Amino acid sequence: DQQVKQNSPSLSVQEGRISILNCDYTNSMFDYFLWYKKYPAEGPTFLISISSIKDKNEDGRFTVFLNKSAKHLSLHIVPSQPGDSAVYFCAARPANAGGTSYGKLTFGQGTILTVHP
Amino acid sequence: ETGVTQSPTHLIKTRGQQVTLRCSSQSGHNTVSWYQQALGQGPQFIFQYYREEENGRGNFPPRFSGLQFPNYSSELNVNALELDDSALYLCASSLGFQPKGETQYFGPGTRLLVL
């Protein structure tokens, strides 16, 4: 039962263009969503997050959009840079799970982003 | 301030053996979570420890167990290893009750191969 799905295993874009990574979820109890980036031989690093009370959060070149009715979120990277080439995971956390619930994340399968110079 | 470290980096075991993986949390962090990442999949939550107590567990059998020590470092133990236990094991630390606890800091992982 895959509660968080990233249906695109890979994405290839040209440097300077927009990268759009998509994520769908099925569990209505999720209320907080995060994106992580992972380079080979390193652990995932936090990128950006969004609460279910918002529909957009922006941080520099990275913007996350949330469509609660569609249970869909996306990560936009503009402009894309070769250093952005990595595996991107979306993750979700349930509501009202307590102060120590932050670790109980459900991850998608990941999308490999390749940005060509 | 040191980041999250894990040891060993790689490990080869045979089916039926037992393994212990170690994690040192980031300075000041009191919560440690363990994840299993199979090849081509996202990390799956195994369990979380907060102040030396298990606080939540994912869908993993009891042969997966853990410990957290007073300095908040942690161990993951897996008994009776199976071939499907071959994976990257990630440890992540965070502040359980602090506002920035919503982000976790992951270690580089331990890659376990079971033959």
Side-chain angles (χ1 to χ4, degrees):
Chain A
D1 176 24
Q2 192 75 28
Q3 296 186 54
V4 177
K5 293 182 183 179
Q6 294 175 255
N7 291 317
S8 298
S10 63
L11 175 67
S12 182
V13 301
Q14 207 66 32
E15 181 179 5
R17 307 295 292 267
I18 184 171
S19 296
I20 300 176
L21 297 101
N22 294 302
C23 180
D24 297 294
Y25 63 96
T26 57
N27 190 338
S28 301
M29 296 301 293
F30 290 146
D31 83 329
Y32 201 86
F33 304 89
L34 306 93
W35 285 93
Y36 285 82
K37 179 169 72 173
K38 185 179 186 301
Y39 293 118
E42 295 182 13
T45 55
F46 170 74
L47 197 54
I48 193 169
S49 60
I50 188 167
S51 164
S52 60
I53 63 174
K54 295 185 175 182
D55 55 16
K56 177 183 173 181
N57 188 26
E58 197 170 349
D59 183 2
R61 297 187 296 115
F62 303 91
T63 303
V64 56
F65 296 92
L66 175 63
N67 182 335
K68 274 192 74 174
S69 60
K71 294 190 175 67
H72 176 84
L73 62 153
S74 60
L75 174 68
H76 293 211
I77 306 174
V78 183
S80 302
Q81 299 173 354
D84 295 330
S85 297
V87 180
Y88 288 78
F89 293 101
C90 70
R93 193 186 75 206
N96 299 322
T100 58
S101 73
Y102 298 127
K104 301 174 188 174
L105 299 174
T106 301
F107 283 82
Q109 309 96 306
T111 297
I112 301 170
L113 173 65
T114 304
V115 180
H116 298 282
Chain B
E1 181 181 279
T2 56
V4 179
T5 59
Q6 292 186 244
S7 62
T9 55
H10 295 83
L11 203 51
I12 300 175
K13 291 284 188 179
T14 55
R15 198 170 44 180
Q17 283 189 311
Q18 179 266 343
V19 69
T20 297
L21 310 182
R22 294 178 175 83
C23 171
S24 291
S25 58
Q26 184 158 315
S27 177
H29 285 185
N30 54 17
T31 305
V32 172
S33 304
W34 285 92
Y35 291 83
Q36 181 196 65
Q37 185 183 3
L39 201 59
Q41 301 296 316
Q44 271 197 291
F45 177 75
I46 303 175
F47 44 54
Q48 180 184 80
Y49 278 83
Y50 171 69
R51 291 185 175 177
E52 304 178 56
E53 297 283 333
E54 186 180 294
N55 176 53
R57 189 179 182 91
N59 190 26
F60 281 81
R63 60 189 185 83
F64 285 78
S65 63
L67 280 174
Q68 188 179 30
F69 300 99
N71 66 354
Y72 303 134
S73 65
S74 177
E75 284 183 356
L76 165 65
N77 298 290
V78 187
N79 293 322
L81 283 166
E82 300 177 1
L83 298 180
D84 284 349
D85 295 334
S86 296
L88 180 68
Y89 288 85
L90 294 163
C91 158
S93 75
S94 57
L95 288 170
F97 283 106
Q98 300 300 317
K100 293 185 177 179
E102 62 199 30
T103 62
Q104 296 183 75
Y105 295 85
F106 283 85
T110 293
R111 187 162 295 282
L112 173 65
L113 177 61
V114 182
L115 301 175

